[in-house]
Amino acid sequence: MFTSVLWASSGHAASQSALEPYGPFSDVIAMLFWGMLVVSVLILAGVMALLAIGLIQRKRAQEAEPMGYTQSRNLVLMAGIVVPIIILLVFTLSSAAVNKKIVPMETEDALTIEVVGHRWWWEVIYQGDTPSEQVKTANEIHIPVGEPVRLVLKSNDVIHSFWVPNLNGKTDLIPGRINTSWIQADKPGVFRGQCGEFCGMQHAKMAFTVESHPPEEFRNWLAQQRQPAAEPQTEVQQRGQQVFLTSACMTCHAIRGTGALVGIAPDLTHLASRNMLAAGTLPNNKANLMGWIAAPQTHKPGNLMPEVRLTPQELHDLAEYLMSLE
Ligand code: CUA
């Protein structure tokens, strides 16, 4: 099982920044930023220098001859029209070039992951060759290192925006539309992502991670996720499974391999393999899971998870069962 670490404290976690690129798409975006910054700073310095010269020479200028017509016309033409046109043209062309670069050239057999935005969590779907090989998870996206990964982005309710600054720019998830974006990480690591479009009360708690693995490790992860849920091993876990299957839980959450198949809330088949609960709100451990089930509206007011009335014993058994679903 993954240990429940916060991203910040995990050894190989990158800080969530577009200026710390970990792949080719974010690389060119960062380069564009630095290029524009340097040019803008030079322009600012030039304008400030001219202003300073003007102020210092003001007195002398009052006594001297006023600038001739041709001279002032040339100054306006050059500094006011020609130079800005050149600079803006360079900026426009370089951002168009970056736009082309953030989509890879050969795309046919790339790994494709479907991401569906919900208020306020991310549904992550890996298709398989057969429907039974389909994997559904939530808020944690795993990818192989060094490969471009196609993201098919959809929304279930309002407009969200998929943003992992270390890997690429934002792309909106729009109801009734399908958008495509690409991510690629050149090193193994954990990259934090965040919904980048205000989508209601818990927009801030609509976070996720992308974790990149060496290809072999990624394939193992996917194979593990394709397995149905673990059978309960202990008596407590068996009681916990019964609580799940006889309470309101199963009207929204699916656990593959049990009778719970409704997938309108996060799929819990391998819940214990995730690092965080409730889209980056709480580290995933038994205590937090019990707290979350007992009072979801306290941790994340307005979310769709209702408070299910359970006895302390039932709550404990349920958490014990869910934490066995690795
Ligand atoms: Cu989803 Cu903001």
Side-chain angles (χ1 to χ4, degrees):
M1 194 185 92
F2 289 104
T3 44
S4 300
V5 281
L6 286 166
W7 297 305
S9 61
S10 135
H12 56 324
S15 62
Q16 185 187 333
S17 165
L19 301 181
E20 210 180 290
Y22 273 79
F25 310 131
S26 46
D27 246 348
V28 287
I29 293 174
M31 263 158 54
L32 180 68
F33 170 82
W34 289 116
M36 285 186 169
L37 185 72
V38 168
V39 174
S40 308
V41 167
L42 288 177
I43 294 169
L44 181 70
V47 170
M48 288 301 134
L50 285 176
L51 182 66
I53 293 169
L55 286 173
I56 292 164
Q57 294 190 339
R58 195 159 143 226
K59 215 157 176 184
R60 249 187 292 160
Q62 276 169 349
E63 292 151 12
E65 289 267 301
M67 196 191 270
Y69 172 73
T70 322
Q71 233 185 330
S72 56
R73 186 197 59 189
N74 286 349
L75 184 68
V76 168
L77 264 180
M78 286 307 291
I81 299 174
V82 177
V83 174
I85 284 178
I86 293 171
I87 291 169
L88 289 179
L89 203 65
V90 169
F91 277 5
T92 309
L93 292 177
S94 48
S95 49
V98 166
N99 256 340
K100 277 190 94 175
K101 283 229 161 156
I102 56 178
V103 175
M105 302 284 275
E106 288 149 49
T107 53
E108 277 313 305
D109 53 356
L111 171 69
T112 300
I113 303 172
E114 193 179 320
V115 179
V116 186
H118 296 260
R119 278 191 293 183
W120 292 277
W121 60 283
W122 306 86
E123 184 176 11
V124 183
I125 304 167
Y126 296 76
Q127 298 297 355
D129 294 334
T130 61
S132 66
E133 285 194 347
Q134 189 195 59
V135 165
K136 279 189 184 176
T137 181
N139 310 318
E140 289 175 20
I141 301 172
H142 294 257
I143 61 169
V145 158
E147 286 176 29
V149 175
R150 181 193 287 110
L151 298 170
V152 173
L153 304 171
K154 301 174 182 176
S155 170
N156 199 41
D157 34 49
V158 298
I159 299 177
H160 304 276
S161 189
F162 185 95
W163 192 27
V164 194
N166 300 101
L167 301 182
N168 206 340
K170 290 178 194 172
T171 306
D172 282 358
L173 297 84
I174 301 169
R177 265 198 69 132
I178 298 175
N179 281 346
T180 306
S181 178
W182 292 83
I183 49 173
Q184 177 173 336
D186 288 336
K187 278 184 249 176
V190 183
F191 311 101
R192 191 178 187 277
Q194 170 68 44
C195 179
E197 173 85 28
F198 182 71
C199 55
M201 221 167 161
Q202 296 299 338
H203 158 71
K205 286 185 178 169
M206 189 168 170
F208 61 101
T209 50
V210 173
E211 187 165 350
S212 56
H213 307 267
E216 185 70 34
E217 199 178 296
F218 169 74
R219 278 193 293 275
N220 292 342
W221 174 84
L222 192 58
Q224 157 69 15
Q225 295 285 315
R226 285 196 168 129
Q227 300 298 315
E231 289 292 326
Q233 296 299 316
T234 65
E235 211 173 296
V236 179
Q237 290 169 9
Q238 277 164 4
R239 285 203 307 266
Q241 190 188 46
Q242 281 314 302
V243 173
F244 184 87
L245 295 173
T246 53
S247 69
C249 307
M250 70 172 292
T251 55
C252 299
H253 292 280
I255 296 183
R256 259 183 306 122
T258 70
L261 298 168
V262 185
I264 57 174
D267 186 296
L268 303 179
T269 309
H270 296 286
L271 175 67
S273 72
R274 295 183 208 147
N275 288 318
M276 302 290 281
L277 293 171
T281 306
L282 296 164
N284 187 12
N285 56 48
K286 199 169 105 188
N288 281 339
L289 182 60
M290 285 170 68
W292 169 252
I293 297 168
Q297 296 302 320
T298 309
H299 293 285
K300 207 168 164 178
N303 85 83
L304 289 178
M305 172 123 160
E307 224 159 86
V308 181
R309 299 240 165 262
L310 298 171
T311 65
Q313 183 67 50
E314 286 171 334
L315 180 61
H316 168 266
D317 295 349
L318 176 61
E320 192 76 30
Y321 168 60
L322 291 174
M323 291 312 287
S324 74
L325 303 177
E326 288 190 5

